[in-house]
């Protein structure tokens, strides 16, 4: 018998779920990959600028009956809020079912594919908008469904919609922060930023003030920490670009002081700064290529769906050949 791989710790699983969206896994879902999707419509409903920000962690598939029934609807809403779900996908079997769903949830149900009228279709619902609708249309039932719900993963936009007397289990912001798996990353980078000036004390060529250098490191630790994480995980491109500039500036600031108050500056510092710059540009290039790949995969389902929709005529070949010829054409 082979040995089982070691089980991952719960903390590691939470870290992966928090930081790794896994958009490729969502794109590979048969309910997604077999359809002709419109990436811009999906991003608009979810409220994100990039498909790469959507994955199994923050999306969920539900049945139309679950959203049409008021009792099941608030149950779905609670589960979505509690687990940080951003958007719900809904498959409807016919145009009539889509119309009925849209009548029950006016303005909330958005088609995200190009299926013809006689085929089934995929719709999407924004969870925060669903919360606003439920609070307005069924405040008592919604409050009962949300009773005791922990707010650790509830989006801030949803938290602002909740009434002050909502019977949810509100967590202190500090506790929510400490429960965030990205906090250890902030701590590790912050500690490194605060202590990286200490080795300068052992370099005799430095003639400046070690206290000033240390203060520069301390004052730049927080923006440097924000810059590193925002550069990697910020949802908007302009924020990532600003974070990249912030990271480079705050990283270089103590070394600029070191250069101005000493000679024989260690060349590895220049190499490190150059490597960080190249890495920052590479990250942006990789993200751009990833987004293009995802959009191409979402749209490539359009070809598969078109081929599936073309009627196929089957004719029987002569008995001597014992074969069946399939005639049909694919629309590119």
């Amino acid at each position: 018998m082979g040995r089982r791989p070691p089980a991952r710790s719960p903390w590691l699983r939470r870290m992966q779920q928090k930081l790794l969206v896994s958009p490729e896994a969502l794109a590979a879902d048969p309910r997604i990959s077999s359809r002709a999707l419109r990436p811009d419509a999906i991003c608009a409903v979810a409220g994100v600028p990039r498909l790469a920000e959507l994955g199994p962690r923050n999306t969920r598939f539900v049945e139309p009956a679950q959203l049409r029934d008021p009792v099941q609807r608030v149950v779905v809403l609670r589960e979505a809020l509690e687990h940080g779900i951003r958007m719900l996908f809904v498959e409807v079997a016919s145009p009539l079912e889509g119309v009925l769903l849209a009548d029950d949830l006016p303005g909330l149900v958005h088609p995200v594919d190009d299926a013809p009228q006689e085929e089934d279709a995929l719709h999407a619902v924004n969870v925060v908008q669903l919360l606003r609708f439920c609070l307005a249309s069924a405040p008592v039932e919604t409050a009962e469904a949300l009773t005791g719900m922990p707010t650790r993963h509830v989006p801030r936009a949803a938290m602002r919609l909740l009434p002050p007397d909502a019977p949810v289990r509100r967590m202190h912001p500090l506790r929510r922060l400490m429960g965030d798996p990205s906090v250890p990353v902030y701590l590790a980078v912050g500690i490194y930023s605060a202590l990286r000036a200490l080795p300068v004390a052992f370099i005799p060529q430095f003639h400046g003030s070690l206290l000033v250098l240390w203060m520069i490191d301390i004052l730049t630790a927080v923006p440097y920490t924000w810059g590193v994480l925002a550069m990697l995980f910020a949802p908007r491109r302009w924020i990532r670009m600003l974070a990249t500039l912030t990271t480079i500036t705050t990283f270089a600031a103590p070394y600029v002081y070191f250069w101005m108050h000493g000679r024989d500056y260690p060349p590895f510092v220049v190499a490190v700064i150059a490597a960080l710059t190249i890495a920052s540009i590479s990250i942006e290039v990789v993200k751009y290529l990833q987004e293009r790949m995802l959009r191409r995969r979402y749209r490539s389902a359009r070809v598969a769906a078109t081929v599936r929709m073309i009627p196929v005529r089957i004719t029987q070949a002569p008995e001597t050949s014992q074969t069946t010829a399939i005639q049909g054409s694919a629309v590119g």
Side-chain angles (χ1 to χ4, degrees):
M1 280 181 68
R3 296 180 58 185
R4 293 183 178 178
R8 292 176 297 176
S9 66
W11 179 87
L12 181 59
R13 287 197 299 269
R14 291 198 305 270
M15 175 72 77
Q16 292 177 333
Q17 293 173 354
K18 179 67 178 179
L19 299 181
L20 301 180
V21 179
S22 301
E24 293 83 3
L26 179 62
D29 190 299
R31 294 166 292 187
I32 294 291
S33 61
S34 63
R35 293 185 174 277
L37 296 174
R38 294 182 291 156
D40 292 336
I42 294 176
C43 292
V45 176
V48 298
R50 303 167 59 244
L51 287 175
E53 298 176 37
L54 299 175
R57 179 176 61 83
N58 54 17
T59 60
R60 179 169 295 178
F61 286 84
V62 296
E63 297 294 330
Q66 292 179 279
L67 292 181
R68 293 197 60 201
D69 180 47
V71 176
Q72 298 186 58
R73 182 189 305 153
V74 291
V75 173
V76 170
L77 174 64
R78 173 183 173 134
E79 293 179 352
L81 291 173
E82 190 171 354
H83 293 90
I85 303 299
R86 181 184 291 271
M87 182 174 61
L88 301 173
F89 286 113
V90 191
E91 289 183 300
V92 296
S94 66
L96 176 60
E97 190 173 37
V99 170
L100 294 176
L101 181 63
D103 289 341
D104 291 332
L105 300 175
L108 300 184
V109 182
H110 305 276
V112 294
D113 65 356
D114 292 330
Q117 294 299 316
E118 65 272 11
E119 295 285 335
D120 59 349
L122 186 67
H123 293 72
V125 176
N126 181 281
V127 171
V128 175
Q129 296 299 326
L130 180 62
L131 172 63
R132 178 181 285 110
F133 173 81
C134 290
L135 288 173
S137 61
V140 176
E141 293 79 0
T142 303
E144 291 178 355
L146 300 182
T147 299
M149 180 189 70
T151 60
R152 172 170 295 182
H153 302 296
V154 176
R156 283 177 293 180
M159 289 293 297
R160 290 193 292 266
L161 290 178
L162 292 175
D165 58 345
V168 297
R169 186 150 51 93
R170 297 180 184 270
M171 294 187 174
H172 192 276
L174 182 60
R175 185 176 178 184
R176 288 182 51 153
L177 180 64
M178 295 306 297
D180 191 335
S182 64
V183 169
V185 180
Y186 273 102
L187 292 177
V189 177
I191 292 174
Y192 158 74
S193 301
L195 298 181
R196 62 179 174 167
L198 293 182
V200 175
F202 302 98
I203 299 178
Q205 293 85 0
F206 178 66
H207 305 295
S209 170
L210 185 61
L211 178 61
V212 172
L213 183 62
W214 183 76
M215 287 298 297
I216 294 175
D217 247 345
I218 291 297
L219 294 177
T220 57
V222 172
Y224 174 78
T225 305
W226 171 83
V228 170
L229 289 183
M231 183 176 63
L232 297 173
F233 305 116
R236 300 185 182 279
R237 179 174 298 178
W238 70 269
I239 295 180
R240 295 196 305 274
M241 297 299 295
L242 176 63
T244 301
L245 178 62
T246 301
T247 301
I248 295 174
T249 303
T250 54
F251 181 89
Y255 296 112
V256 170
Y257 178 82
F258 181 47
W259 183 284
M260 295 174 60
H261 295 82
R263 295 183 178 180
D264 300 324
Y265 189 69
F268 77 89
V269 174
V270 178
V272 169
I273 296 176
L276 180 62
T277 304
I278 295 174
S280 302
I281 297 174
S282 300
I283 288 173
E284 287 301 316
V285 171
V286 169
K287 284 181 173 290
Y288 173 75
L289 294 177
Q290 180 194 42
E291 184 68 14
R292 285 194 60 183
M293 181 272 294
L294 286 172
R295 287 178 175 266
R296 185 162 53 248
R297 288 185 62 180
Y298 274 57
R299 290 193 180 104
S300 67
R302 188 168 303 174
V303 177
T306 305
V307 173
R308 183 187 60 200
M309 292 181 295
I310 293 298
V312 177
R313 186 174 72 256
I314 301 178
T315 59
Q316 184 67 36
E319 295 182 359
T320 55
S321 64
Q322 296 298 319
T323 59
T324 300
I326 301 178
Q327 300 178 353
S329 61
V331 178

